[in-house]
Amino acid sequence: MSANSRLTIAAHALAWIGLYQRQGHEVATSEQIATSANTNPVVIRRLLGELRKAGLVESRRGVGAGWAMARELGSITLLDVHQAVEPGPLFAMHRAAPDQDCVIGYGIQPAMQGIYEGIEETLRRELARVTLEDVLRDVLAAPR
Amino acid sequence: MSANSRLTIAAHALAWIGLYQRQGHEVATSEQIATSANTNPVVIRRLLGELRKAGLVESRRGVGAGWAMARELGSITLLDVHQAVEPGPLFAMHRAAPDQDCVIGYGIQPAMQGIYEGIEETLRRELARVTLEDVLRDVLAAPR
DNA sequence: CTAAATGTAACAACTTTGGTTGCGATCATT
DNA sequence: AATGATCGCAACCAAAGTTGTTACATTTAG
């Protein structure tokens, strides 16, 4: 699987905005976040754009533009973030439909879909147990 | 990600071999399995090659060549299969190291790694609950 | 010796991911 | 009204991963 870094970067950006606001600032810019995450501002804006669609952050344009949390860090879980930035299932089915004249080919997809559904439900439950407040706490707890 | 179909195809191949052997055959060929899975024999051989490295199947060459289970279906879990064919973590870190002079940039990776480790452990536990015997049963239980 | 299948390398097509550039739209401040 | 910083978004690119395909040497029972 091509593991990607979307969830990591999204959590990074949200923790950054959350901390920055607690330090008294109104909004954070994609440029500031990109510097911290060592990536391009457009990458950050793309991700934050999806998080805005999900209602997790807000953006302002014009003078004093930037990003702010739309909800408390403690009320947002990694599941919210994951669903906002990571579409699609964990495991894929066959690229081309298997042979329907074969017993295995006929039954394999419903079988695996049922199994995968249970696994993904467990994954969702686990992601939902971690809030951005937890993430920020862990980040700040790093030694030195 | 990019979700891929390795685990699905591997489970398909193993269920096919297992059922075929229960029907009294010694070995199954990559050609037969590829027909059922609607893919190329080389794709199947590649996957089975990794499963052989993991000790789940055996292969014979020469006349009467093909593949056979090395262990009982009931003793192999989807975790075994997953670990054999899907290397790497579920979630990736930043592509380039984040800014170590930033509090968030400094602490984000250890924080997320700790969180991800817990989630992946849960995923492993869940995969380990399903055996290939369960998969074959579900496959054969498909209606019609 | 032969035929059938594995083992493996090489390559192509396609998709995903992340990075980059460019530019119009926005808007508080002046 | 002009300005300048920033967002919003489209377009494009490079790198990597996935799957399919061809080719061919190797193996081995009969």
Side-chain angles (χ1 to χ4, degrees):
Chain A
M1 167 171 336
S2 26
N4 64 47
S5 61
R6 284 156 132 63
L7 183 58
T8 302
I9 304 293
H12 186 144
L14 293 169
W16 206 98
I17 297 171
L19 177 60
Y20 198 59
Q21 291 194 293
R22 287 187 186 179
Q23 293 171 343
H25 302 89
E26 285 272 326
V27 298
T29 70
S30 62
E31 170 107 32
Q32 293 172 314
I33 301 166
T35 297
S36 170
N38 197 3
T39 181
N40 192 292
V42 176
V43 173
I44 299 297
R45 290 206 289 271
R46 276 205 286 246
L47 272 177
L48 289 179
E50 307 196 59
L51 296 174
R52 181 185 46 211
K53 279 186 216 155
L56 309 187
V57 297
E58 295 166 346
S59 68
R60 285 191 209 162
R61 308 185 66 175
V63 173
W67 303 83
M69 299 302 302
R71 291 162 44 187
E72 290 297 321
L73 288 186
S75 79
I76 301 177
T77 72
L78 284 187
L79 177 59
D80 298 320
V81 182
H82 185 262
Q83 289 184 329
V85 303
E86 294 263 22
L90 195 50
F91 304 108
M93 286 296 131
H94 309 63
R95 177 176 290 196
D99 180 7
Q100 298 299 300
D101 296 336
C102 163
V103 196
I104 305 288
Y106 182 79
I108 189 73
Q109 292 204 340
M112 296 308 289
Q113 261 151 7
I115 291 167
Y116 289 162
E117 179 44 48
I119 292 174
E120 283 170 12
E121 176 55 32
T122 301
L123 175 65
R124 284 192 290 270
R125 204 159 35 232
E126 208 64 15
L127 284 168
R129 291 181 52 203
V130 184
T131 70
L132 291 180
E133 190 70 53
D134 298 328
V135 172
L136 181 56
R137 173 176 34 72
D138 290 0
V139 167
L140 298 180
R144 220 346 244 155
Chain B
M1 185 172 57
S2 38
N4 64 45
S5 61
R6 284 155 129 66
L7 183 58
T8 302
I9 304 294
H12 186 144
L14 293 169
W16 206 97
I17 297 171
L19 177 60
Y20 198 60
Q21 290 194 292
R22 286 186 186 180
Q23 291 171 347
H25 302 90
E26 284 271 327
V27 298
T29 70
S30 60
E31 171 108 32
Q32 294 171 313
I33 301 166
T35 298
S36 171
N38 196 4
T39 181
N40 192 290
V42 176
V43 173
I44 299 298
R45 291 206 288 273
R46 276 203 289 243
L47 271 176
L48 288 178
E50 307 196 60
L51 296 173
R52 181 185 45 212
K53 279 186 215 156
L56 308 187
V57 297
E58 295 165 346
S59 70
R60 286 189 211 162
R61 309 185 65 176
V63 173
W67 303 82
M69 298 303 302
R71 291 162 44 187
E72 291 297 322
L73 288 186
S75 80
I76 300 177
T77 72
L78 285 187
L79 177 59
D80 298 319
V81 182
H82 184 262
Q83 288 184 329
V85 302
E86 295 263 23
L90 192 51
F91 303 108
M93 286 295 132
H94 308 64
R95 176 176 290 196
D99 181 7
Q100 297 300 300
D101 295 334
C102 163
V103 196
I104 304 289
Y106 182 78
I108 188 71
Q109 292 205 339
M112 296 309 289
Q113 262 152 6
I115 291 166
Y116 289 161
E117 181 42 50
I119 292 173
E120 283 171 11
E121 176 55 32
T122 302
L123 175 65
R124 284 193 290 268
R125 204 157 36 231
E126 208 64 15
L127 284 168
R129 292 182 51 203
V130 184
T131 70
L132 291 180
E133 190 70 53
D134 298 328
V135 172
L136 181 56
R137 173 176 35 73
D138 289 0
V139 167
L140 299 180
R144 196 52 202 126

